Amino acid sequence: MGAALPLGDPAPADGALPDDLPIDAEADFGVYLHVPFCRVRCGYCDFNTYTATELEGAPQDAYADTLLGEVELARGVLEAAGASRPARTVFFGGGTPTLLPPGDLARMLAGVRGAFGLSRDAEVTVEANPDTVTDATAVALAEAGVTRLSIGMQSAVPHVLAVLDRTHEPANVRTAVRAARAAGLHVSLDLIYGAPGESLSDWRESLDAALALGPDHVSAYALIVEDGTKLARQIRRGEVAEPDDDLQADMYELADDLLAAGGYEWYEVSNWAVGAPHRSRHNLAYWRGADWWGFGPGAHSHVAGLRWWNVKHPAAYAQRLAAGESPAAARERPDETARRLEAVLLRSRIREGLPVSELLGEGRHAVASLIADGLVDGPSAVHGRIVLTRRGRLMADAVVRALTA
């Protein structure tokens, strides 16, 4: 059902923001819409998602209206705080948003547009399982204002898909991409590498298959074994092998080589795009610390340094809204030191890097050794920015530890 929610301070029932919050009405604002439904729970996934048999009191056909209740609550909260502004990005994530009828997704997007407005160049992304995308679905989404489809390809190799519990046919990725292109949508493909039993040649096959489809954007994530998942239990029982860190490093380098040769540039440790216009602006907003409101059960939000998160279960979420209450479970307001450390954690992972001036004392002292170890680009640091080398991207966690020491 997803990892446990963090602890925090009580959130007010009306969702009101603190009076002294330093609102910047010119700051970028994004919207995340969580759709928590899946046909099958993938063995590696710890997201807040549910299959039909796991849900009681939260029918899928009522979900759009329930979420729109939170949109209306947010409208009032942001207007009262002077924090309302058009959304520059909207992202439907999950779960599998395309398990809902396109009309429901369209109504949710229309609700966001009506509550906040959308900027003229708004990026609107919908995540999709390949088996749920038809020509009619793609056309309906495009007509509703969606601009980008993010397709969960994960792998092109059947035995890798099987160990990940992915149920789609590899050929359906091609069908989904063609449908999206015909409807005028930009296309991103999501890949996962390092699954038990996956070889370097298997991974090359998946990369070649993805490149052959000509997406605008590719995300490639190393498989992480999360506590409480089916995969973690299988590894603990010795049924499948634990991911090999060295092999995953080789896979990352292969991905970077092949994607670069195909005309894709990295802009975040796990993301590549055909030029800056095709970078995911929504995800970059997270890395840059922008404001966003996350709608749906378990969704997280951030406005002007205040963070809050919703109750996890769709039934509890629906009950709160039906009672006219905010679904927020708790919230926190990190102090300046915590915010600076978080900025290092997030912004060091993107291509533009972060200013050396934002590092605390020990972090600044670590820069020289990181350059000497080939983890940080020397010329960029001379000009005052921390930019990771490819070796640095492979060891991003170690770099962050050094910069936040």
PDB file of all heavy atoms in Angstrom, residues 269-307:
ATOM      1  N   VAL A 269      19.770  12.885 -13.065  1.00  0.00           N
ATOM      2  CA  VAL A 269      20.522  11.632 -12.990  1.00  0.00           C
ATOM      3  C   VAL A 269      19.867  10.498 -13.763  1.00  0.00           C
ATOM      4  O   VAL A 269      20.539   9.739 -14.469  1.00  0.00           O
ATOM      5  CB  VAL A 269      20.742  11.240 -11.517  1.00  0.00           C
ATOM      6  CG1 VAL A 269      21.242   9.809 -11.400  1.00  0.00           C
ATOM      7  CG2 VAL A 269      21.732  12.180 -10.853  1.00  0.00           C
ATOM      8  N   SER A 270      18.560  10.371 -13.707  1.00  0.00           N
ATOM      9  CA  SER A 270      17.868   9.244 -14.337  1.00  0.00           C
ATOM     10  C   SER A 270      17.005   9.634 -15.530  1.00  0.00           C
ATOM     11  O   SER A 270      16.163   8.837 -15.960  1.00  0.00           O
ATOM     12  CB  SER A 270      16.979   8.537 -13.282  1.00  0.00           C
ATOM     13  OG  SER A 270      17.749   8.051 -12.208  1.00  0.00           O
ATOM     14  N   ASN A 271      17.225  10.823 -16.090  1.00  0.00           N
ATOM     15  CA  ASN A 271      16.342  11.309 -17.149  1.00  0.00           C
ATOM     16  C   ASN A 271      17.117  11.943 -18.293  1.00  0.00           C
ATOM     17  O   ASN A 271      18.060  12.713 -18.072  1.00  0.00           O
ATOM     18  CB  ASN A 271      15.351  12.325 -16.576  1.00  0.00           C
ATOM     19  CG  ASN A 271      14.350  11.688 -15.646  1.00  0.00           C
ATOM     20  OD1 ASN A 271      13.343  11.155 -16.090  1.00  0.00           O
ATOM     21  ND2 ASN A 271      14.625  11.720 -14.343  1.00  0.00           N
ATOM     22  N   TRP A 272      16.651  11.627 -19.512  1.00  0.00           N
ATOM     23  CA  TRP A 272      17.258  12.133 -20.738  1.00  0.00           C
ATOM     24  C   TRP A 272      16.155  12.657 -21.665  1.00  0.00           C
ATOM     25  O   TRP A 272      15.033  12.150 -21.661  1.00  0.00           O
ATOM     26  CB  TRP A 272      18.003  11.009 -21.475  1.00  0.00           C
ATOM     27  CG  TRP A 272      19.222  10.478 -20.793  1.00  0.00           C
ATOM     28  CD1 TRP A 272      20.519  10.769 -21.087  1.00  0.00           C
ATOM     29  CD2 TRP A 272      19.284   9.521 -19.720  1.00  0.00           C
ATOM     30  NE1 TRP A 272      21.379  10.067 -20.270  1.00  0.00           N
ATOM     31  CE2 TRP A 272      20.649   9.289 -19.423  1.00  0.00           C
ATOM     32  CE3 TRP A 272      18.310   8.842 -18.995  1.00  0.00           C
ATOM     33  CZ2 TRP A 272      21.062   8.405 -18.436  1.00  0.00           C
ATOM     34  CZ3 TRP A 272      18.718   7.978 -17.987  1.00  0.00           C
ATOM     35  CH2 TRP A 272      20.081   7.759 -17.712  1.00  0.00           C
ATOM     36  N   ALA A 273      16.488  13.677 -22.457  1.00  0.00           N
ATOM     37  CA  ALA A 273      15.486  14.251 -23.356  1.00  0.00           C
ATOM     38  C   ALA A 273      16.147  14.707 -24.654  1.00  0.00           C
ATOM     39  O   ALA A 273      17.352  14.988 -24.694  1.00  0.00           O
ATOM     40  CB  ALA A 273      14.782  15.428 -22.695  1.00  0.00           C
ATOM     41  N   VAL A 274      15.333  14.776 -25.713  1.00  0.00           N
ATOM     42  CA  VAL A 274      15.801  15.310 -26.993  1.00  0.00           C
ATOM     43  C   VAL A 274      15.719  16.836 -26.908  1.00  0.00           C
ATOM     44  O   VAL A 274      14.759  17.450 -27.363  1.00  0.00           O
ATOM     45  CB  VAL A 274      14.943  14.794 -28.162  1.00  0.00           C
ATOM     46  CG1 VAL A 274      15.485  15.320 -29.488  1.00  0.00           C
ATOM     47  CG2 VAL A 274      14.928  13.277 -28.195  1.00  0.00           C
ATOM     48  N   GLY A 275      16.694  17.440 -26.276  1.00  0.00           N
ATOM     49  CA  GLY A 275      16.722  18.885 -26.144  1.00  0.00           C
ATOM     50  C   GLY A 275      15.916  19.384 -24.964  1.00  0.00           C
ATOM     51  O   GLY A 275      15.013  18.715 -24.452  1.00  0.00           O
ATOM     52  N   ALA A 276      16.237  20.600 -24.525  1.00  0.00           N
ATOM     53  CA  ALA A 276      15.615  21.196 -23.346  1.00  0.00           C
ATOM     54  C   ALA A 276      14.093  21.272 -23.428  1.00  0.00           C
ATOM     55  O   ALA A 276      13.417  21.082 -22.410  1.00  0.00           O
ATOM     56  CB  ALA A 276      16.220  22.572 -23.084  1.00  0.00           C
ATOM     57  N   PRO A 277      13.486  21.541 -24.593  1.00  0.00           N
ATOM     58  CA  PRO A 277      12.017  21.647 -24.623  1.00  0.00           C
ATOM     59  C   PRO A 277      11.292  20.370 -24.225  1.00  0.00           C
ATOM     60  O   PRO A 277      10.113  20.427 -23.852  1.00  0.00           O
ATOM     61  CB  PRO A 277      11.729  22.006 -26.087  1.00  0.00           C
ATOM     62  CG  PRO A 277      12.975  22.669 -26.569  1.00  0.00           C
ATOM     63  CD  PRO A 277      14.079  21.937 -25.884  1.00  0.00           C
ATOM     64  N   HIS A 278      11.966  19.225 -24.296  1.00  0.00           N
ATOM     65  CA  HIS A 278      11.302  17.960 -23.981  1.00  0.00           C
ATOM     66  C   HIS A 278      11.642  17.433 -22.584  1.00  0.00           C
ATOM     67  O   HIS A 278      11.226  16.325 -22.225  1.00  0.00           O
ATOM     68  CB  HIS A 278      11.640  16.911 -25.030  1.00  0.00           C
ATOM     69  CG  HIS A 278      11.009  17.178 -26.363  1.00  0.00           C
ATOM     70  ND1 HIS A 278       9.656  17.155 -26.548  1.00  0.00           N
ATOM     71  CD2 HIS A 278      11.567  17.508 -27.556  1.00  0.00           C
ATOM     72  CE1 HIS A 278       9.375  17.437 -27.813  1.00  0.00           C
ATOM     73  NE2 HIS A 278      10.514  17.663 -28.437  1.00  0.00           N
ATOM     74  N   ARG A 279      12.378  18.218 -21.799  1.00  0.00           N
ATOM     75  CA  ARG A 279      12.585  17.830 -20.410  1.00  0.00           C
ATOM     76  C   ARG A 279      11.262  17.898 -19.662  1.00  0.00           C
ATOM     77  O   ARG A 279      10.397  18.708 -19.988  1.00  0.00           O
ATOM     78  CB  ARG A 279      13.601  18.763 -19.746  1.00  0.00           C
ATOM     79  CG  ARG A 279      14.990  18.686 -20.365  1.00  0.00           C
ATOM     80  CD  ARG A 279      15.910  19.746 -19.782  1.00  0.00           C
ATOM     81  NE  ARG A 279      17.226  19.713 -20.435  1.00  0.00           N
ATOM     82  CZ  ARG A 279      18.202  20.580 -20.195  1.00  0.00           C
ATOM     83  NH1 ARG A 279      18.006  21.554 -19.298  1.00  0.00           N
ATOM     84  NH2 ARG A 279      19.354  20.477 -20.838  1.00  0.00           N
ATOM     85  N   SER A 280      11.095  17.047 -18.671  1.00  0.00           N
ATOM     86  CA  SER A 280       9.871  17.070 -17.875  1.00  0.00           C
ATOM     87  C   SER A 280       9.906  18.286 -16.948  1.00  0.00           C
ATOM     88  O   SER A 280      10.612  18.295 -15.936  1.00  0.00           O
ATOM     89  CB  SER A 280       9.737  15.787 -17.039  1.00  0.00           C
ATOM     90  OG  SER A 280       8.673  15.913 -16.104  1.00  0.00           O
ATOM     91  N   ARG A 281       9.152  19.307 -17.300  1.00  0.00           N
ATOM     92  CA  ARG A 281       9.142  20.518 -16.493  1.00  0.00           C
ATOM     93  C   ARG A 281       8.511  20.263 -15.121  1.00  0.00           C
ATOM     94  O   ARG A 281       8.878  20.906 -14.132  1.00  0.00           O
ATOM     95  CB  ARG A 281       8.401  21.640 -17.220  1.00  0.00           C
ATOM     96  CG  ARG A 281       9.210  22.218 -18.378  1.00  0.00           C
ATOM     97  CD  ARG A 281       8.626  23.526 -18.873  1.00  0.00           C
ATOM     98  NE  ARG A 281       7.519  23.316 -19.784  1.00  0.00           N
ATOM     99  CZ  ARG A 281       6.323  23.868 -19.651  1.00  0.00           C
ATOM    100  NH1 ARG A 281       6.055  24.643 -18.617  1.00  0.00           N
ATOM    101  NH2 ARG A 281       5.379  23.647 -20.538  1.00  0.00           N
ATOM    102  N   HIS A 282       7.568  19.334 -15.066  1.00  0.00           N
ATOM    103  CA  HIS A 282       6.938  19.034 -13.781  1.00  0.00           C
ATOM    104  C   HIS A 282       7.958  18.433 -12.816  1.00  0.00           C
ATOM    105  O   HIS A 282       8.068  18.868 -11.668  1.00  0.00           O
ATOM    106  CB  HIS A 282       5.766  18.075 -13.970  1.00  0.00           C
ATOM    107  CG  HIS A 282       4.997  17.845 -12.714  1.00  0.00           C
ATOM    108  ND1 HIS A 282       4.021  18.709 -12.270  1.00  0.00           N
ATOM    109  CD2 HIS A 282       5.086  16.866 -11.778  1.00  0.00           C
ATOM    110  CE1 HIS A 282       3.545  18.273 -11.115  1.00  0.00           C
ATOM    111  NE2 HIS A 282       4.166  17.153 -10.802  1.00  0.00           N
ATOM    112  N   ASN A 283       8.703  17.441 -13.268  1.00  0.00           N
ATOM    113  CA  ASN A 283       9.679  16.821 -12.379  1.00  0.00           C
ATOM    114  C   ASN A 283      10.814  17.787 -12.038  1.00  0.00           C
ATOM    115  O   ASN A 283      11.325  17.777 -10.911  1.00  0.00           O
ATOM    116  CB  ASN A 283      10.220  15.538 -12.997  1.00  0.00           C
ATOM    117  CG  ASN A 283       9.202  14.410 -12.958  1.00  0.00           C
ATOM    118  OD1 ASN A 283       8.260  14.440 -12.171  1.00  0.00           O
ATOM    119  ND2 ASN A 283       9.366  13.417 -13.818  1.00  0.00           N
ATOM    120  N   LEU A 284      11.216  18.624 -12.989  1.00  0.00           N
ATOM    121  CA  LEU A 284      12.249  19.608 -12.690  1.00  0.00           C
ATOM    122  C   LEU A 284      11.781  20.577 -11.605  1.00  0.00           C
ATOM    123  O   LEU A 284      12.586  21.051 -10.796  1.00  0.00           O
ATOM    124  CB  LEU A 284      12.624  20.384 -13.958  1.00  0.00           C
ATOM    125  CG  LEU A 284      13.662  19.726 -14.858  1.00  0.00           C
ATOM    126  CD1 LEU A 284      13.810  20.510 -16.157  1.00  0.00           C
ATOM    127  CD2 LEU A 284      15.015  19.612 -14.149  1.00  0.00           C
ATOM    128  N   ALA A 285      10.490  20.866 -11.578  1.00  0.00           N
ATOM    129  CA  ALA A 285       9.975  21.754 -10.537  1.00  0.00           C
ATOM    130  C   ALA A 285      10.195  21.156  -9.150  1.00  0.00           C
ATOM    131  O   ALA A 285      10.499  21.878  -8.190  1.00  0.00           O
ATOM    132  CB  ALA A 285       8.485  22.019 -10.772  1.00  0.00           C
ATOM    133  N   TYR A 286      10.059  19.836  -9.022  1.00  0.00           N
ATOM    134  CA  TYR A 286      10.361  19.191  -7.748  1.00  0.00           C
ATOM    135  C   TYR A 286      11.827  19.385  -7.379  1.00  0.00           C
ATOM    136  O   TYR A 286      12.174  19.734  -6.252  1.00  0.00           O
ATOM    137  CB  TYR A 286      10.073  17.691  -7.813  1.00  0.00           C
ATOM    138  CG  TYR A 286       8.621  17.291  -7.968  1.00  0.00           C
ATOM    139  CD1 TYR A 286       8.286  16.121  -8.640  1.00  0.00           C
ATOM    140  CD2 TYR A 286       7.585  18.048  -7.438  1.00  0.00           C
ATOM    141  CE1 TYR A 286       6.967  15.713  -8.782  1.00  0.00           C
ATOM    142  CE2 TYR A 286       6.262  17.659  -7.573  1.00  0.00           C
ATOM    143  CZ  TYR A 286       5.964  16.492  -8.246  1.00  0.00           C
ATOM    144  OH  TYR A 286       4.651  16.100  -8.377  1.00  0.00           O
ATOM    145  N   TRP A 287      12.707  19.119  -8.334  1.00  0.00           N
ATOM    146  CA  TRP A 287      14.137  19.201  -8.068  1.00  0.00           C
ATOM    147  C   TRP A 287      14.556  20.627  -7.732  1.00  0.00           C
ATOM    148  O   TRP A 287      15.518  20.835  -6.978  1.00  0.00           O
ATOM    149  CB  TRP A 287      14.934  18.698  -9.274  1.00  0.00           C
ATOM    150  CG  TRP A 287      14.713  17.248  -9.585  1.00  0.00           C
ATOM    151  CD1 TRP A 287      14.065  16.737 -10.670  1.00  0.00           C
ATOM    152  CD2 TRP A 287      15.113  16.120  -8.798  1.00  0.00           C
ATOM    153  NE1 TRP A 287      14.031  15.361 -10.600  1.00  0.00           N
ATOM    154  CE2 TRP A 287      14.667  14.960  -9.468  1.00  0.00           C
ATOM    155  CE3 TRP A 287      15.799  15.983  -7.603  1.00  0.00           C
ATOM    156  CZ2 TRP A 287      14.886  13.681  -8.976  1.00  0.00           C
ATOM    157  CZ3 TRP A 287      16.018  14.696  -7.108  1.00  0.00           C
ATOM    158  CH2 TRP A 287      15.567  13.572  -7.794  1.00  0.00           C
ATOM    159  N   ARG A 288      13.861  21.614  -8.290  1.00  0.00           N
ATOM    160  CA  ARG A 288      14.220  23.018  -8.050  1.00  0.00           C
ATOM    161  C   ARG A 288      13.508  23.620  -6.849  1.00  0.00           C
ATOM    162  O   ARG A 288      13.717  24.794  -6.529  1.00  0.00           O
ATOM    163  CB  ARG A 288      13.911  23.844  -9.302  1.00  0.00           C
ATOM    164  CG  ARG A 288      14.817  23.503 -10.485  1.00  0.00           C
ATOM    165  CD  ARG A 288      14.304  24.142 -11.755  1.00  0.00           C
ATOM    166  NE  ARG A 288      15.216  23.903 -12.880  1.00  0.00           N
ATOM    167  CZ  ARG A 288      14.862  24.028 -14.158  1.00  0.00           C
ATOM    168  NH1 ARG A 288      13.617  24.389 -14.470  1.00  0.00           N
ATOM    169  NH2 ARG A 288      15.739  23.802 -15.113  1.00  0.00           N
ATOM    170  N   GLY A 289      12.653  22.856  -6.195  1.00  0.00           N
ATOM    171  CA  GLY A 289      11.990  23.347  -5.000  1.00  0.00           C
ATOM    172  C   GLY A 289      10.841  24.289  -5.256  1.00  0.00           C
ATOM    173  O   GLY A 289      10.545  25.164  -4.426  1.00  0.00           O
ATOM    174  N   ALA A 290      10.150  24.134  -6.386  1.00  0.00           N
ATOM    175  CA  ALA A 290       9.003  24.985  -6.700  1.00  0.00           C
ATOM    176  C   ALA A 290       7.811  24.618  -5.826  1.00  0.00           C
ATOM    177  O   ALA A 290       7.854  23.675  -5.033  1.00  0.00           O
ATOM    178  CB  ALA A 290       8.652  24.858  -8.184  1.00  0.00           C
ATOM    179  N   ASP A 291       6.715  25.356  -5.984  1.00  0.00           N
ATOM    180  CA  ASP A 291       5.479  25.065  -5.259  1.00  0.00           C
ATOM    181  C   ASP A 291       4.618  24.091  -6.056  1.00  0.00           C
ATOM    182  O   ASP A 291       4.563  24.176  -7.286  1.00  0.00           O
ATOM    183  CB  ASP A 291       4.672  26.358  -5.036  1.00  0.00           C
ATOM    184  CG  ASP A 291       5.328  27.312  -4.059  1.00  0.00           C
ATOM    185  OD1 ASP A 291       6.287  26.907  -3.377  1.00  0.00           O
ATOM    186  OD2 ASP A 291       4.891  28.475  -3.989  1.00  0.00           O
ATOM    187  N   TRP A 292       3.955  23.202  -5.355  1.00  0.00           N
ATOM    188  CA  TRP A 292       2.972  22.339  -6.013  1.00  0.00           C
ATOM    189  C   TRP A 292       1.954  21.863  -4.988  1.00  0.00           C
ATOM    190  O   TRP A 292       2.217  21.834  -3.787  1.00  0.00           O
ATOM    191  CB  TRP A 292       3.637  21.132  -6.687  1.00  0.00           C
ATOM    192  CG  TRP A 292       4.057  20.044  -5.746  1.00  0.00           C
ATOM    193  CD1 TRP A 292       3.320  18.965  -5.330  1.00  0.00           C
ATOM    194  CD2 TRP A 292       5.327  19.906  -5.085  1.00  0.00           C
ATOM    195  NE1 TRP A 292       4.039  18.173  -4.466  1.00  0.00           N
ATOM    196  CE2 TRP A 292       5.277  18.724  -4.297  1.00  0.00           C
ATOM    197  CE3 TRP A 292       6.502  20.656  -5.095  1.00  0.00           C
ATOM    198  CZ2 TRP A 292       6.351  18.300  -3.528  1.00  0.00           C
ATOM    199  CZ3 TRP A 292       7.568  20.235  -4.322  1.00  0.00           C
ATOM    200  CH2 TRP A 292       7.489  19.066  -3.554  1.00  0.00           C
ATOM    201  N   TRP A 293       0.778  21.534  -5.495  1.00  0.00           N
ATOM    202  CA  TRP A 293      -0.260  20.918  -4.647  1.00  0.00           C
ATOM    203  C   TRP A 293      -0.498  19.511  -5.181  1.00  0.00           C
ATOM    204  O   TRP A 293      -0.786  19.334  -6.361  1.00  0.00           O
ATOM    205  CB  TRP A 293      -1.558  21.720  -4.695  1.00  0.00           C
ATOM    206  CG  TRP A 293      -2.544  21.329  -3.616  1.00  0.00           C
ATOM    207  CD1 TRP A 293      -3.095  20.091  -3.411  1.00  0.00           C
ATOM    208  CD2 TRP A 293      -3.090  22.176  -2.586  1.00  0.00           C
ATOM    209  NE1 TRP A 293      -3.942  20.102  -2.331  1.00  0.00           N
ATOM    210  CE2 TRP A 293      -3.970  21.371  -1.799  1.00  0.00           C
ATOM    211  CE3 TRP A 293      -2.950  23.518  -2.270  1.00  0.00           C
ATOM    212  CZ2 TRP A 293      -4.673  21.881  -0.718  1.00  0.00           C
ATOM    213  CZ3 TRP A 293      -3.644  24.029  -1.183  1.00  0.00           C
ATOM    214  CH2 TRP A 293      -4.504  23.215  -0.417  1.00  0.00           C
ATOM    215  N   GLY A 294      -0.357  18.530  -4.308  1.00  0.00           N
ATOM    216  CA  GLY A 294      -0.609  17.143  -4.671  1.00  0.00           C
ATOM    217  C   GLY A 294      -1.997  16.723  -4.233  1.00  0.00           C
ATOM    218  O   GLY A 294      -2.318  16.749  -3.040  1.00  0.00           O
ATOM    219  N   PHE A 295      -2.841  16.349  -5.191  1.00  0.00           N
ATOM    220  CA  PHE A 295      -4.219  15.948  -4.912  1.00  0.00           C
ATOM    221  C   PHE A 295      -4.328  14.432  -4.929  1.00  0.00           C
ATOM    222  O   PHE A 295      -3.751  13.765  -5.787  1.00  0.00           O
ATOM    223  CB  PHE A 295      -5.161  16.542  -5.962  1.00  0.00           C
ATOM    224  CG  PHE A 295      -5.216  18.042  -5.947  1.00  0.00           C
ATOM    225  CD1 PHE A 295      -4.375  18.790  -6.758  1.00  0.00           C
ATOM    226  CD2 PHE A 295      -6.091  18.706  -5.106  1.00  0.00           C
ATOM    227  CE1 PHE A 295      -4.412  20.171  -6.731  1.00  0.00           C
ATOM    228  CE2 PHE A 295      -6.140  20.089  -5.075  1.00  0.00           C
ATOM    229  CZ  PHE A 295      -5.293  20.827  -5.896  1.00  0.00           C
ATOM    230  N   GLY A 296      -5.117  13.898  -3.999  1.00  0.00           N
ATOM    231  CA  GLY A 296      -5.334  12.463  -3.963  1.00  0.00           C
ATOM    232  C   GLY A 296      -4.791  11.844  -2.691  1.00  0.00           C
ATOM    233  O   GLY A 296      -4.009  12.464  -1.946  1.00  0.00           O
ATOM    234  N   PRO A 297      -5.181  10.604  -2.386  1.00  0.00           N
ATOM    235  CA  PRO A 297      -4.730   9.931  -1.166  1.00  0.00           C
ATOM    236  C   PRO A 297      -3.223   9.733  -1.153  1.00  0.00           C
ATOM    237  O   PRO A 297      -2.635   9.261  -2.118  1.00  0.00           O
ATOM    238  CB  PRO A 297      -5.477   8.593  -1.198  1.00  0.00           C
ATOM    239  CG  PRO A 297      -5.880   8.400  -2.619  1.00  0.00           C
ATOM    240  CD  PRO A 297      -6.089   9.763  -3.185  1.00  0.00           C
ATOM    241  N   GLY A 298      -2.604  10.117  -0.046  1.00  0.00           N
ATOM    242  CA  GLY A 298      -1.162   9.963   0.106  1.00  0.00           C
ATOM    243  C   GLY A 298      -0.332  10.989  -0.617  1.00  0.00           C
ATOM    244  O   GLY A 298       0.904  10.969  -0.502  1.00  0.00           O
ATOM    245  N   ALA A 299      -0.945  11.906  -1.359  1.00  0.00           N
ATOM    246  CA  ALA A 299      -0.182  12.887  -2.137  1.00  0.00           C
ATOM    247  C   ALA A 299       0.460  13.921  -1.217  1.00  0.00           C
ATOM    248  O   ALA A 299      -0.085  14.289  -0.182  1.00  0.00           O
ATOM    249  CB  ALA A 299      -1.100  13.576  -3.147  1.00  0.00           C
ATOM    250  N   HIS A 300       1.641  14.387  -1.619  1.00  0.00           N
ATOM    251  CA  HIS A 300       2.393  15.394  -0.875  1.00  0.00           C
ATOM    252  C   HIS A 300       2.313  16.736  -1.590  1.00  0.00           C
ATOM    253  O   HIS A 300       2.213  16.787  -2.823  1.00  0.00           O
ATOM    254  CB  HIS A 300       3.854  14.979  -0.739  1.00  0.00           C
ATOM    255  CG  HIS A 300       4.069  13.836   0.206  1.00  0.00           C
ATOM    256  ND1 HIS A 300       4.958  13.889   1.257  1.00  0.00           N
ATOM    257  CD2 HIS A 300       3.499  12.601   0.268  1.00  0.00           C
ATOM    258  CE1 HIS A 300       4.945  12.740   1.924  1.00  0.00           C
ATOM    259  NE2 HIS A 300       4.070  11.942   1.335  1.00  0.00           N
ATOM    260  N   SER A 301       2.406  17.823  -0.818  1.00  0.00           N
ATOM    261  CA  SER A 301       2.336  19.169  -1.370  1.00  0.00           C
ATOM    262  C   SER A 301       3.428  20.038  -0.760  1.00  0.00           C
ATOM    263  O   SER A 301       3.971  19.730   0.311  1.00  0.00           O
ATOM    264  CB  SER A 301       0.970  19.808  -1.085  1.00  0.00           C
ATOM    265  OG  SER A 301      -0.088  19.026  -1.598  1.00  0.00           O
ATOM    266  N   HIS A 302       3.732  21.155  -1.443  1.00  0.00           N
ATOM    267  CA  HIS A 302       4.743  22.090  -0.951  1.00  0.00           C
ATOM    268  C   HIS A 302       4.390  23.496  -1.422  1.00  0.00           C
ATOM    269  O   HIS A 302       4.204  23.718  -2.630  1.00  0.00           O
ATOM    270  CB  HIS A 302       6.135  21.714  -1.477  1.00  0.00           C
ATOM    271  CG  HIS A 302       7.159  22.795  -1.237  1.00  0.00           C
ATOM    272  ND1 HIS A 302       7.563  23.676  -2.210  1.00  0.00           N
ATOM    273  CD2 HIS A 302       7.840  23.127  -0.122  1.00  0.00           C
ATOM    274  CE1 HIS A 302       8.457  24.511  -1.712  1.00  0.00           C
ATOM    275  NE2 HIS A 302       8.639  24.199  -0.450  1.00  0.00           N
ATOM    276  N   VAL A 303       4.264  24.407  -0.490  1.00  0.00           N
ATOM    277  CA  VAL A 303       4.049  25.810  -0.820  1.00  0.00           C
ATOM    278  C   VAL A 303       4.899  26.662   0.115  1.00  0.00           C
ATOM    279  O   VAL A 303       4.733  26.590   1.343  1.00  0.00           O
ATOM    280  CB  VAL A 303       2.566  26.218  -0.694  1.00  0.00           C
ATOM    281  CG1 VAL A 303       2.401  27.731  -0.877  1.00  0.00           C
ATOM    282  CG2 VAL A 303       1.707  25.482  -1.710  1.00  0.00           C
ATOM    283  N   ALA A 304       5.826  27.410  -0.465  1.00  0.00           N
ATOM    284  CA  ALA A 304       6.628  28.396   0.278  1.00  0.00           C
ATOM    285  C   ALA A 304       7.307  27.809   1.508  1.00  0.00           C
ATOM    286  O   ALA A 304       7.377  28.446   2.566  1.00  0.00           O
ATOM    287  CB  ALA A 304       5.753  29.587   0.667  1.00  0.00           C
ATOM    288  N   GLY A 305       7.816  26.598   1.385  1.00  0.00           N
ATOM    289  CA  GLY A 305       8.546  25.975   2.486  1.00  0.00           C
ATOM    290  C   GLY A 305       7.700  25.130   3.410  1.00  0.00           C
ATOM    291  O   GLY A 305       8.241  24.412   4.256  1.00  0.00           O
ATOM    292  N   LEU A 306       6.374  25.179   3.262  1.00  0.00           N
ATOM    293  CA  LEU A 306       5.483  24.329   4.060  1.00  0.00           C
ATOM    294  C   LEU A 306       5.188  23.057   3.281  1.00  0.00           C
ATOM    295  O   LEU A 306       4.837  23.116   2.098  1.00  0.00           O
ATOM    296  CB  LEU A 306       4.181  25.065   4.369  1.00  0.00           C
ATOM    297  CG  LEU A 306       3.154  24.283   5.197  1.00  0.00           C
ATOM    298  CD1 LEU A 306       3.614  24.181   6.657  1.00  0.00           C
ATOM    299  CD2 LEU A 306       1.774  24.928   5.106  1.00  0.00           C
ATOM    300  N   ARG A 307       5.298  21.923   3.937  1.00  0.00           N
ATOM    301  CA  ARG A 307       5.012  20.633   3.300  1.00  0.00           C
ATOM    302  C   ARG A 307       3.887  19.945   4.058  1.00  0.00           C
ATOM    303  O   ARG A 307       3.828  20.004   5.283  1.00  0.00           O
ATOM    304  CB  ARG A 307       6.255  19.730   3.299  1.00  0.00           C
ATOM    305  CG  ARG A 307       7.418  20.323   2.527  1.00  0.00           C
ATOM    306  CD  ARG A 307       8.590  19.372   2.441  1.00  0.00           C
ATOM    307  NE  ARG A 307       9.665  19.958   1.665  1.00  0.00           N
ATOM    308  CZ  ARG A 307       9.729  19.938   0.337  1.00  0.00           C
ATOM    309  NH1 ARG A 307       8.773  19.339  -0.345  1.00  0.00           N
ATOM    310  NH2 ARG A 307      10.728  20.509  -0.305  1.00  0.00           N
TER     311      ARG A 307
END
